Amino acid sequence: MRKLLLIFIIFCSVSLYGQSNKVGVTPPPRDVNQQPVKDKIFSKVDEKIKFNEKNLSQSFDYSIIDPDHKPNENTFVVSFVSEVHRKISNIKIETGKNQDITAELKRMLSHHNFYPASVNGQFVRSYCKLKFIFDYDNNSMKIISL
């Protein structure tokens, strides 16, 4: 019985004194649910959203464009809110009227993952605007973050 009591005392003392007693800097929370301002939409951020331009460009379905009747307009500006969960919401076409292309841009953007913007090391919702410039002859596009 004494041995069990001794083992118990040693175990408790190791547990108590083995704890880290660091006081001071706490890393910013990366858990989305711990974000202090999770509903606010930022227009100025420390780090903008990040995405792979090549993957985004390649995910556009160029088969919607009739090679014999290419659209006259080749520039489209799209605004949206980048969410902390790597998705986007509130997609709006600012410039560009071709219905097929705007629908495909919305589809493409809503299925793509974006690395969220951050403020003070925390992921935040942010207002974003992208300009898409199409080269219909080469089935490619250039994407500019505005």
Side-chain angles (χ1 to χ4, degrees), residues 5-125:
L5 182 59
L6 181 62
I7 291 172
F8 178 76
I9 292 171
I10 291 171
F11 178 77
C12 287
S13 64
V14 168
S15 295
L16 282 175
Y17 295 107
Q19 297 289 328
S20 173
N21 292 328
K22 293 180 183 176
V23 178
V25 180
T26 304
R30 288 295 199 180
D31 181 17
V32 171
N33 297 320
Q34 293 180 6
Q35 296 294 324
V37 287
K38 64 182 179 180
D39 293 331
K40 183 177 178 182
I41 299 173
F42 289 81
S43 57
K44 293 185 179 184
V45 294
D46 297 336
E47 288 189 47
K48 289 185 174 185
I49 64 167
K50 296 177 185 162
F51 58 94
N52 186 321
E53 183 177 338
K54 184 177 179 184
N55 286 348
L56 188 59
S57 177
Q58 289 176 347
S59 66
F60 188 87
D61 182 10
Y62 291 96
S63 69
I64 64 163
I65 300 167
D66 183 2
D68 297 328
H69 299 92
K70 294 177 185 162
N72 293 335
E73 57 186 343
N74 70 336
T75 302
F76 295 79
V77 176
V78 181
S79 65
F80 55 89
V81 174
S82 170
E83 303 290 343
V84 293
H85 297 315
R86 299 182 61 150
K87 293 293 182 184
I88 63 171
S89 62
N90 301 338
I91 302 171
K92 293 180 183 157
I93 305 297
E94 304 270 329
T95 59
K97 301 210 183 298
N98 184 296
Q99 296 292 327
D100 294 332
I101 293 176
T102 57
E104 180 58 18
L105 281 170
K106 287 180 179 180
R107 183 208 61 82
M108 174 190 72
L109 290 168
S110 64
H111 287 89
H112 194 77
N113 286 328
F114 292 84
Y115 193 79
S118 66
V119 173
N120 295 328
Q122 294 181 344
F123 295 142
V124 294
R125 298 175 76 206

